[in-house]
Amino acid sequence: MSVKYVPVQWNVFKFLYDFALLVIIMGFLWVFVHIIPDQLTYDPSITPQIQNMRAFGSCAFFLLTAILVIGPLARIDRRFLPLLYNRRHLGVLTCFVAFSHASFVIRWYFVFSPTDRYVALFGTNTAYNQLLGFPFESFGIFALLCLIILATTSHDFWLKFLTPRIWKSLHYLIYPAYAAVVAHIGLGTLQDQPVSIFGFLVVLCVALVVGLHLMARRCELETTDSSALHRVDAYWHALFPVQEIEEGYARVARIDTGDRIAVFLHNGKLSAISNACAHQNGPLGEGKIIDCFVTCPWHGFQYDVTNGRSPAPFTEKIATYQIRVREGIVEVDERANPPGTPVEPLNVEKEDSV
């Protein structure tokens, strides 16, 4: 990461990541355009121009599916984390592919329109009051606008300018964009070909996205205390037995306020920090401590667990919390300290603190 806006400088992994994405996209398009028409029953009405737009449209859908499955896969199995590090690159490429699909459509279907092609696009079909023949183009336009917004705000400048919370909320547009793409396909191509291999793949992809998100949620609930065991007093919460924390790792708990707190055990001492990384709210509690620094599994941001500060010259800070141990139970004060506030680690090898 860098001092300002670029968290991870260009490196060999990023170049290989982008090169692999380009190879996969180009390979998919080549197979779709040159192999699929020869292997399947070819409809003479499907011109090369239509085949091209379908190739780019299908590619955009599968890339969007990949974007949405990488996140839950990384939560279920840490071996998928390398795919998550530069997922924004995949999002930008998906936007370009989707834009290419839209360009093919505009240039082919509306090139001979007596009116402006964009006016024709929005005004040709206005049957919004019926399902059969519904103007599915509107869903595609909405999805494309979402992808453009996500691509143009993908740089860390916008993350810093908008703040991580607003930026992350904005990028949840990926979900309505995906739903719009599915509706665009279902009301468009699949109505012309209700029974097809592509239709089966669309249903399979949607089921995969939904299923993996449900599995990731279940895994998260199994490893995270959904709430404090009980409230000790006005501010202190009893969380979990201290023996449940593994050396070098954290146990994450969500208290009554909704905040998630990561309690780390390092060299026999406890420290508590916010579970949300200052970069993109990544889950710090899933990282491992090395030399008193925990590394966010999403993009590699590091924080000293005793003060919530990134190592110099970086300036990111997160909140810290006061903790204590009574009768073998870890307790935390819900009143978060200002980001970057040092807190003396609690030695759990000594008698319980009061």
Side-chain angles (χ1 to χ4, degrees):
M1 62 184 182
S2 73
V3 179
K4 292 187 178 180
Y5 301 125
V6 184
V8 180
Q9 298 291 352
W10 283 93
N11 51 46
V12 174
F13 177 79
K14 292 174 75 71
F15 282 115
L16 292 176
Y17 188 99
D18 290 350
F19 177 75
L21 290 179
L22 290 174
V23 170
I24 291 172
I25 292 173
M26 293 175 65
F28 178 92
L29 296 174
W30 185 84
V31 169
F32 199 102
V33 172
H34 296 284
I35 302 298
I36 289 180
D38 296 331
Q39 298 299 322
L40 302 178
T41 301
Y42 190 76
D43 185 349
S45 64
I46 305 299
T47 64
Q49 292 82 359
I50 295 177
Q51 191 69 12
N52 286 337
M53 69 181 68
R54 289 189 174 184
F56 278 92
S58 301
C59 185
F61 170 74
F62 290 124
L63 290 176
L64 200 55
T65 300
I67 292 173
L68 289 179
V69 302
I70 288 175
L73 281 175
R75 306 302 296 271
I76 296 171
D77 191 330
R78 297 175 62 84
R79 289 175 294 183
F80 289 98
L81 280 172
L83 299 178
L84 184 68
Y85 293 151
N86 300 303
R87 187 171 55 171
R88 283 183 287 178
H89 291 212
L90 177 55
V92 173
L93 284 176
T94 301
C95 179
F96 278 111
V97 173
F99 188 82
S100 299
H101 165 72
S103 298
F104 273 111
V105 172
I106 294 294
R107 291 201 303 266
W108 176 248
Y109 284 110
F110 299 98
V111 67
F112 297 114
S113 173
T115 59
D116 181 83
R117 63 184 65 181
Y118 298 103
V119 175
L121 173 64
F122 287 99
T124 300
N125 185 3
T126 58
Y128 291 96
N129 59 343
Q130 60 186 39
L131 181 61
L132 187 63
F134 188 91
F136 64 93
E137 299 89 351
S138 57
F139 288 108
I141 294 169
F142 172 78
L144 181 59
L145 290 176
C146 289
L147 292 177
I148 292 175
I149 292 174
L150 299 183
T152 54
T153 60
S154 63
H155 194 273
D156 270 3
F157 166 80
W158 293 102
L159 178 68
K160 190 80 171 180
F161 178 74
L162 296 173
T163 72
R165 183 180 297 275
I166 296 177
W167 185 90
K168 191 66 176 180
S169 299
L170 178 66
H171 278 243
Y172 279 131
L173 282 173
I174 191 71
Y175 293 101
Y178 188 72
V181 169
V182 173
H184 179 70
I185 296 172
L187 296 173
T189 301
L190 296 188
Q191 285 203 7
D192 294 334
Q193 301 175 355
V195 179
S196 65
I197 296 177
F198 181 65
F200 171 78
L201 292 177
V202 169
V203 174
L204 182 64
C205 287
V206 173
L208 182 65
V209 170
V210 174
L212 285 175
H213 275 78
L214 292 176
M215 288 179 60
R217 178 59 177 169
R218 181 178 179 181
C219 292
E220 182 182 15
L221 292 176
E222 291 177 351
T223 57
T224 302
D225 291 275
S226 60
S227 63
L229 295 179
H230 62 273
R231 184 182 288 271
V232 178
D233 54 33
Y235 299 108
W236 286 83
H237 298 258
L239 302 183
F240 38 71
V242 68
Q243 294 83 358
E244 294 183 0
I245 309 178
E246 182 181 354
E247 173 66 33
Y249 292 90
R251 184 72 183 271
V252 179
R254 185 171 66 236
I255 59 176
D256 293 347
T257 61
D259 295 325
R260 295 191 178 189
I261 301 172
V263 181
F264 288 88
L265 178 62
H266 179 59
N267 293 334
K269 298 180 179 180
L270 293 177
S271 297
I273 59 176
S274 169
N275 188 53
C277 177
H279 178 222
Q280 287 186 21
N281 294 327
L284 292 177
E286 297 181 12
K288 182 180 180 180
I289 294 181
I290 299 178
D291 296 331
C292 209
F293 288 94
V294 60
T295 301
C296 179
W298 281 11
H299 301 100
F301 276 65
Q302 292 183 315
Y303 303 91
D304 188 328
V305 296
T306 66
N307 56 32
R309 298 179 180 179
S310 295
F314 311 113
T315 58
E316 288 76 19
K317 300 177 183 178
I318 57 174
T320 59
Y321 291 85
Q322 302 290 339
I323 58 174
R324 65 191 183 193
V325 176
R326 297 200 304 182
E327 299 179 357
I329 302 297
V330 178
E331 298 180 356
V332 64
D333 188 338
E334 68 178 27
R335 296 167 294 184
N337 298 313
T341 301
V343 176
E344 184 67 23
L346 183 64
N347 193 338
V348 296
E349 296 179 353
K350 296 182 180 180
E351 295 182 0
D352 289 347
S353 302
V354 179

